[in-house]
Amino acid sequence: MPLHLLKLCVGAESIRDLEEWIEENMLLKRRLGRPEEQTHTTRMVPKRIDELVDGGSLYWVIKGQVSARQCLTEVRPFTDNDGIGRCHLVLDPVVVPVEPRPNRPFQGWRYLTAKDAPRDIGRDSGDLGEMPEEMRRELAGLGLL
């Protein structure tokens, strides 16, 4: 059973903000001739790497709610120029909206088990899939989703 990570998406106001940041980052890497992959750098290296890359995702908390996820394909530990251990989380650039769920702020990241992970919102999600993100966020905040 896959294991997931939960992380705050600092600075993003919406899922679209996150998608635009990813697009800009990919364009920059293409212009600089770097590998076109999305990475997110964290200070702490997860100990359960094998479980994370075996179908796990990084779930993003945007404006106080778990809102989206990206498949986690690789975890690359490294030491930065100051001698501090960090890691790159290599992510599939496709952002998948999930059923919004309130989440308090926290530092770093947290493990999230598959049974506790919110479900994806897709085309077959009925009205929820067609609803604008802002409305989903507001209804979830009111406890109606």
Side-chain angles (χ1 to χ4, degrees):
M1 185 172 290
L3 183 67
H4 308 290
L5 289 178
L6 182 66
K7 185 149 180 45
L8 299 181
C9 192
V10 178
E13 295 289 319
S14 66
I15 295 171
R16 186 67 202 138
D17 275 355
L18 174 61
E19 291 171 329
E20 288 172 357
W21 180 83
I22 293 168
E23 290 170 15
E24 289 172 16
N25 205 9
M26 292 298 213
L27 285 171
L28 177 62
K29 287 181 178 189
R30 185 176 303 136
R31 274 183 278 188
L32 296 174
R34 294 184 182 157
E36 291 181 43
E37 63 182 9
Q38 189 204 350
T39 59
H40 180 78
T41 305
T42 67
R43 187 164 124 8
M44 302 301 292
V45 179
K47 305 272 187 270
R48 301 168 68 181
I49 293 173
D50 290 340
E51 293 171 84
L52 291 169
V53 297
D54 186 24
S57 291
L58 176 61
Y59 282 77
W60 291 109
V61 177
I62 300 173
K63 290 185 73 175
Q65 292 185 355
V66 181
S67 300
R69 71 174 181 85
Q70 290 178 268
C71 291
L72 183 58
T73 59
E74 192 176 350
V75 177
R76 293 186 197 141
F78 71 97
T79 303
D80 70 11
N81 294 335
D82 297 323
I84 299 171
R86 300 185 184 280
C87 79
H88 290 300
L89 303 174
V90 182
L91 305 166
D92 183 323
V94 175
V95 178
V96 179
V98 299
E99 292 180 352
R101 178 185 302 165
N103 205 95
R104 293 177 187 251
F106 57 90
Q107 294 262 331
W109 48 260
R110 301 285 183 266
Y111 288 117
L112 179 65
T113 62
K115 69 177 177 62
D116 293 329
R119 293 182 301 191
D120 291 354
I121 296 175
R123 296 184 200 276
D124 59 343
S125 298
D127 292 340
L128 190 60
E130 296 174 15
M131 192 180 296
E133 178 187 358
E134 189 173 309
M135 185 181 290
R136 285 194 309 259
R137 180 178 307 285
E138 188 172 337
L139 290 173
L142 293 169
L144 299 173
L145 281 184

